[in-house]
Amino acid sequence: MTMPLSTLGPAVRATLNYSVDNGIPPDYYFYEPDPGIQLNPPGTDAREVAIHDGWPQVEKFSLDREGFELHDFIGRFDQFDDEASVHAQFYPQVIDHVQRHTGAKRVVVFDHTIRKRLPADLKVQTEVQRPAVLLVHSDYTVASGPQRVRDILGREAEPLLMGRVAFYNVWKPLYQRVEELPLAMCDATTHDPADLLRMDLKYRERTGEIYVMRHAPQHRWVYFPKMEAHHALLLKTYDSSTDGRCRFMGHSAFEDPTTPPGAPRRESIEVRTMAFF
């Protein structure tokens, strides 16, 4: 059941980058492709939408219904520029957070990304630091979710895949309030499975896939303006369960028209986890 609009806070109108459904999977190259390759880029269908303030109903959102929740993050950590400390000290805090709010028996962290306002030029990006993603997407597909479990856990994977597995991103500010480029979530009760379009991620050594989304007028978008460093969003990006709960949830950073001039640049981290039940 979709949450009534009247229970949400005021909306801003902003542009989100959907993808055109032309029958061909969109693609994105992580290297310079050969000049003769015909590209089919995602995010070319820019739409102005209403994005509603979710704070008035923050305690009502559900990972298994809308696909996202926001909670206080109990752990304390401020060494995000130290990769070894992130792995040794912050990852265990993330595992505890995911288990506490999902009831998972086991949680595995498999990577993280620090998001900042960076140029789109791949030459100035790193494996860990990347720009905010201004594209409506969900991180995994029905095929790439299980494959990621196999890639990470090897021989452990097949027995685990016989049970339920779900992927959750933990998204939080690094040190200070987020005042620009906030994250918007598409209420999973308002999109149709056919709105999810497979996108090919082209690496030199392999091809991965995620979902991007085509536009539909019934999509409802929610964000939490001015998130503080002690807040953390949980985003569901894959669920193997087919019992009617949310399996995928579209999301995107966006340019908030209410951001004050001179606002601090957004710095956030998203940690990707797989949870077993």
Side-chain angles (χ1 to χ4, degrees), residues 153-192:
L153 295 180
R155 284 180 292 183
E156 284 188 87
E158 295 309 323
L160 291 168
L161 288 169
M162 294 177 67
R164 179 183 169 223
V165 56
F167 286 17
Y168 301 101
N169 287 3
V170 176
W171 188 102
K172 70 180 297 296
L174 292 190
Y175 307 109
Q176 59 188 352
R177 176 187 296 175
V178 169
E179 295 191 37
E180 62 129 32
L181 290 177
L183 194 69
M185 287 72 66
C186 184
D187 177 346
T189 66
T190 67
H191 77 73
D192 187 274

Side-chain angles (χ1 to χ4, degrees), residues 13-277:
R13 295 200 66 83
T15 298
L16 296 180
N17 297 313
Y18 284 93
S19 297
V20 175
D21 185 3
N22 60 9
I24 304 170
D27 51 34
Y28 182 85
Y29 285 78
F30 287 89
Y31 60 94
E32 292 294 332
D34 295 335
I37 292 178
Q38 185 172 356
L39 303 178
N40 187 34
T44 58
D45 186 14
R47 301 283 184 137
E48 185 180 278
V49 301
I51 306 177
H52 298 269
D53 183 343
W55 282 114
Q57 292 293 314
V58 64
E59 296 180 358
K60 301 290 182 64
F61 293 106
S62 165
L63 287 163
D64 286 339
R65 189 176 57 245
E66 292 86 9
F68 58 89
E69 297 177 5
L70 187 147
H71 300 281
D72 281 342
F73 191 84
I74 294 174
R76 293 290 179 263
F77 183 81
D78 61 3
Q79 301 176 59
F80 292 105
D81 57 347
D82 183 337
E83 187 82 1
S85 294
V86 171
H87 285 257
Q89 299 175 40
F90 188 60
Y91 278 15
Q93 295 178 7
V94 169
I95 289 170
D96 178 71
H97 186 79
V98 174
Q99 286 187 305
R100 182 183 306 114
H101 294 293
T102 67
K105 293 180 180 178
R106 178 183 178 187
V107 174
V108 176
V109 173
F110 56 93
D111 69 12
H112 74 276
T113 304
I114 291 175
R115 301 284 186 190
K116 300 181 179 181
R117 188 183 283 274
L118 294 173
D121 186 351
L122 294 175
K123 298 183 183 67
V124 302
Q125 301 175 26
T126 69
E127 286 298 313
V128 173
Q129 293 202 22
R130 293 197 180 274
V133 179
L134 295 166
L135 172 69
V136 179
H137 69 288
S138 188
D139 296 19
Y140 290 92
T141 70
V142 291
S144 66
Q147 185 58 48
R148 192 64 168 152
V149 178
R150 297 183 183 102
D151 293 342
I152 298 298
L153 295 180
R155 284 180 292 183
E156 284 188 87
E158 295 309 323
L160 291 168
L161 288 169
M162 294 177 67
R164 179 183 169 223
V165 56
F167 286 17
Y168 301 101
N169 287 3
V170 176
W171 188 102
K172 70 180 297 296
L174 292 190
Y175 307 109
Q176 59 188 352
R177 176 187 296 175
V178 169
E179 295 191 37
E180 62 129 32
L181 290 177
L183 194 69
M185 287 72 66
C186 184
D187 177 346
T189 66
T190 67
H191 77 73
D192 187 274
D195 296 337
L196 299 170
L197 310 176
R198 191 192 89 224
M199 181 175 95
D200 291 336
L201 301 176
K202 303 285 191 177
Y203 302 89
R204 290 195 181 277
E205 69 281 3
R206 65 183 179 89
T207 297
E209 60 183 53
I210 66 171
Y211 283 131
V212 290
M213 290 181 70
R214 67 182 185 187
H215 177 261
Q218 74 270 16
H219 292 168
R220 177 178 301 173
W221 287 92
V222 175
Y223 81 125
F224 296 95
K226 297 180 171 57
M227 282 179 60
E228 301 282 356
H230 62 87
H231 295 138
L233 274 164
L234 269 174
L235 314 173
K236 186 191 286 188
T237 58
Y238 169 77
D239 198 320
S240 64
S241 177
T242 57
D243 63 0
R245 73 184 75 201
C246 164
R247 299 192 67 198
F248 309 96
M249 190 274 297
H251 52 283
S252 175
F254 72 98
E255 298 280 4
D256 184 350
T258 67
T259 297
R265 295 292 180 94
R266 188 251 269 189
E267 293 184 329
S268 62
I269 186 169
E270 60 190 76
V271 183
R272 283 168 281 274
T273 74
M274 50 184 70
F276 302 96
F277 296 84

